[in-house]
Amino acid sequence: MAAIFQGVGAAAALSSSPSNSFDSKKFVSSPCRPFSVRKGASFAVVRSDGRVNLNPKGRRAQQLISNAVATKSDSAAASSSSKPGHELLLFEALQEGLEEEMERDLRVCVMGEDVGHYGGSYKVTKGLAKKFGDLRVLDTPIAENSFSGMGIGAAMTGLRPVVEGMNMGFLLLAFNQISNNCGMLHYTSGGQFTIPIVIRGPGGVGRQLGAEHSQRLESYFQSIPGIQMVACSTPYNAKGLMKAAIRSENPVILFEHVLLYNLKERIPDEDYICNLEEAEMVRPGEHVTILTYSRMRYHVMQAAKTLVNKGYDPEVIDIRSLKPFDLYTIGNSVKKTHRVLIVEECMRTGGIGASLIAAITENFNDYLDAPIMCLSSQDVPTPYAGTLEEVTVVQPAQIVTAVEQLCQ
Amino acid sequence: MNSASCAAKISTQPFSLNPTSPASHDRPLVSPKPASLFLGSTRKLRLSSSSKLNLHRRSGTVVAVSDVVKQKKSKSTHSLLITKEEGLELYEDMILGRAFEDMCAQMYYRGKMFGFVHLYNGQEAVSTGFIKLLKQQDSVVSTYRDHVHALSKGVPARAVMSELFGKTTGCCRGQGGSMHMFSREHNLLGGFAFIGEGIPVATGAAFTSKYKREVLKEADCDHVTLAFFGDGTCNNGQFFECLNMAALWKLRIVFVVENNLWAIGMSHLRATSDPQIYKKGPAFGMPGIHVDGMDVLKVREVAKEAIGRARRGEGPTLVECETYRFRGHSLADPDELRDPAEKAHYAARDPITALKKYLIENSLASEADLKAIDKKIDEVVEDAVEFADESPVPSQSQLLENVFADPKGFGIGPDGRYRCEDPKFTEGTAHV
């Protein structure tokens, strides 16, 4: 079992458990041993044979604690009431991350529709306007292209805006600014202007929201040079990615999912970020690599339960970084399992999965024992009817079937 | 037509400039004045389409600088709008713009620069009239017709020419080109290829100015942003969206419309339901001013008011400068649609000739002074070309630089290292 733990503390604390029992019932991704958290600590990598390397060659030591939270705990350890940290919902985690960064740096501000007095359409910015004022949490008119451009201009001149698309789909209106200015201005200005902007919002297929409110913009934005894209999926990585995105000097698009805002998890009290470029090992395994992100992570984990009962041992990786791909984590997994299944909510055509297949084939073709399988949403506008909507996205049963097919 | 309501907070009447008032930075643009010679003085144009578009326009006369001076002399003892130093500064800046653009045309046809190059000949009064009033920390946002805005803002001619030649010594390291002039030092925020996309960026810079004052408590921060764009842009959504936001939040911005009547081959009159762009200002709660953009002194007077207004925190202004480009839209434009009579009409109103006449007639400068400036600028432009010629082209190692401010954005490669740590990265040959 290879578990890549990063961030904290004594190597001793990171010795991997020999038992392979991971209870995937609880979607709580907390470390299986409490970490002693120290700022400025270097990180360790636990190798598959249990050896621990400090500062493995090639990775930079990181000042902040960067934690690609890995294994799931078994239920006994998880339900201990003396666990450190605090419990909250995903939207609260986003809010916490945003609030902490706004306290830490006065230049951080929020812009978007209904982010101020209304508290955000999904309550991510609740209470912030009261605390920080109407200028730092700016209620904009309904003009996505222009207020995104305004955010970019503000970023160029010294601020660190967080622009919210009330629904990611609305950012289609801002495509001009996101593609031309957000992604490109650092380059076309010869490096003179940085654009430390975060563009975030809820996307993905919800519950019968209709076609236009159920879009997955990650596939449209992925070709834009000069931007990074990350997708959060747990309260832990939501807060971590939010903070990392705000601190990054690059423009980052943070994809949230409408259906994940009420996930509950216990997260550390201490300051932490999640590395923007890294994938997250959700469940180490041996038989097949399942790559996923955002909401599909939960469909995958549900399928994983079934698969485990059927005797399979899937390795589940939440790629988190949609652009660029973490080819190290992905590659190591491919080299181990030799079989890859991608499960995504994007459309089949031109989606993240399509790019991922290309990247894996290009880099790891020799390690594959079978063609890469990719389960994506159907290339249809998301229908309103619940029964139809259900079949446009990938369901756990399909994932189980796909793995069985792959592992024949 | 013009609403006469006197809502205290909003000046709903277009501002009109009184030509007899002394040049002053302090006069606020508050009380609406009766329309002067300058307002609504749209040209009579020979239209290729029907003339029913002319219905609501008054024909007015456009007053040249010298006429204004004659009036002023008879009305008051304050007869001069500028001092000698200012006059020479304005003249030099306009000559620089003209000479530079003419040299660009030469260089383009000699194969030293490529792509789309949009020249500013004829419009110099707008750039000089506005930008010479700014401080270094004020920002300018332009469009693809940005060479002269860059020069007026203080970007060295060498840097602009090198950029056009695609050399590493260009202001954007050769990565931007003609349509993307940027300078952090001089607060030139671009250079944009798509029309309208610079206006939100300008609004953002103005937002930062407000934010610095109110949140970061830099009490003396009063940086103003100028957004330059054309008549075609005034039909674009981003224009209207930003007028709204700027007025709403009283941002320190001036929207400067360089109405040269043509968007490539599309006449402004064929594209716009109401061609009087300045009228769109009051609709959003800001003054809308129309000014003769071929007259640098008039532009400068209006600019002083508008910039002063912004600096005092009274909000944005929309200034429509009636101007004309002597050349085609770009060096690739055969410029066949415009009526030769129209071109001749504006050629006779060359802003540089007008200023020269003013300076000499008012004994602010002699022929010799001006010739000396001409010569100096010729040398500057020649030097710029030489410098650009001798500068190195970017090597491949520059390819991957500046894509990200933090090159970790290229991600982690299969070997576990960040791609930017790959030595091939600095060579520009890394696989990213």
Side-chain angles (χ1 to χ4, degrees), chain A residues 106 146 157 176 186 192 250, chain B residues 184 197 208 211 241 402 406:
Chain A
L106 282 180
S146 292
T157 44
N176 178 356
H186 185 71
Q192 291 181 84
N250 297 335
Chain B
R184 183 168 206 105
E197 72 179 355
T208 300
Y211 192 96
E241 290 173 2
N402 308 139
D406 178 359

Side-chain angles (χ1 to χ4, degrees), chain B residues 105-408:
Chain B
Q106 260 194 64
M107 293 297 115
Y108 188 84
Y109 294 126
R110 285 200 208 164
K112 300 288 184 87
M113 58 179 85
F114 299 92
F116 293 127
V117 179
H118 309 82
L119 299 182
Y120 201 73
N121 298 50
Q123 300 182 196
E124 294 87 358
V126 181
S127 179
T128 300
F130 267 94
I131 300 181
K132 283 309 174 193
L133 292 171
L134 294 180
K135 304 188 289 199
Q136 176 139 1
Q137 306 94 314
D138 294 325
S139 299
V140 166
V141 173
S142 178
T143 61
Y144 44 73
R145 206 178 298 281
D146 56 351
H147 308 167
V148 178
H149 294 138
L151 295 170
S152 292
K153 193 63 171 67
V155 182
R158 281 182 162 195
V160 181
M161 193 61 83
S162 288
E163 184 62 31
L164 292 168
F165 282 28
K167 304 292 182 83
T168 48
T169 48
C171 54
C172 301
R173 306 181 79 202
Q175 288 166 191
S178 168
M179 299 185 281
H180 303 283
M181 294 290 167
F182 287 83
S183 168
R184 183 168 206 105
E185 186 191 337
H186 300 280
N187 288 298
L188 174 67
L189 303 180
F192 292 92
F194 286 22
I195 60 154
E197 72 179 355
I199 307 178
V201 173
T203 310
F207 179 82
T208 300
S209 174
K210 181 182 173 84
Y211 192 96
K212 279 185 176 164
R213 199 184 179 96
E214 296 182 19
V215 176
L216 303 180
K217 307 295 182 201
E218 294 173 24
D220 53 355
C221 178
D222 60 357
H223 304 158
V224 170
T225 305
L226 298 184
F228 291 92
F229 47 93
D231 44 283
T233 308
C234 295
N235 294 325
N236 186 275
Q238 287 175 97
F239 168 62
F240 298 112
E241 290 173 2
C242 290
L243 285 185
N244 179 43
M245 292 197 289
L248 182 64
W249 296 316
K250 282 214 158 100
L251 300 182
R252 287 176 165 80
I253 186 171
V254 181
F255 296 100
V256 185
V257 182
E258 295 171 320
N259 183 354
N260 58 21
L261 280 186
W262 292 88
I264 308 185
M266 187 62 165
S267 151
H268 175 58
L269 302 164
R270 288 182 70 219
T272 317
S273 56
D274 184 345
Q276 294 176 305
I277 301 171
Y278 69 90
K279 279 162 54 176
K280 297 176 185 181
F284 289 93
M286 70 179 80
I289 308 178
H290 178 277
V291 68
D292 175 6
M294 303 307 275
D295 181 336
V296 68
L297 297 177
K298 290 183 198 164
V299 171
R300 191 177 151 91
E301 288 304 298
V302 167
K304 270 189 202 162
E305 293 295 338
I307 292 171
R309 205 180 111 80
R311 222 182 273 296
R312 289 185 302 269
E314 291 165 20
T317 312
L318 175 66
V319 180
E320 178 186 355
C321 302
E322 185 187 316
T323 183
Y324 202 76
R325 51 169 165 83
F326 293 158
R327 292 180 181 266
H329 164 74
S330 73
L331 289 173
D333 174 18
D335 194 17
E336 290 159 345
L337 278 179
R338 300 192 300 173
D339 187 355
E342 180 188 272
K343 294 190 212 179
H345 171 75
Y346 283 98
R349 293 172 51 202
D350 187 328
I352 293 177
T353 318
L355 179 65
K356 189 168 175 175
K357 192 162 177 226
Y358 181 88
L359 291 173
I360 290 177
E361 282 183 0
N362 290 284
S363 310
L364 285 170
S366 64
E367 286 272 4
D369 291 333
L370 300 181
K371 279 221 158 41
I373 291 178
D374 291 349
K375 185 163 183 295
K376 172 183 167 191
I377 291 300
D378 276 341
E379 285 168 8
V380 165
V381 173
E382 292 276 353
D383 167 79
V385 170
E386 240 179 77
F387 175 79
D389 254 337
E390 289 165 8
S391 294
V393 288
S395 64
Q396 183 151 11
S397 61
Q398 204 180 301
L399 178 66
L400 301 172
E401 294 171 12
N402 308 139
V403 178
F404 289 104
D406 178 359
K408 296 218 301 274

Side-chain angles (χ1 to χ4, degrees), chain A residues 223-234:
Chain A
S223 288
I224 300 174
I227 55 153
Q228 287 186 245
M229 304 198 303
V230 288
C232 63
S233 50
T234 67

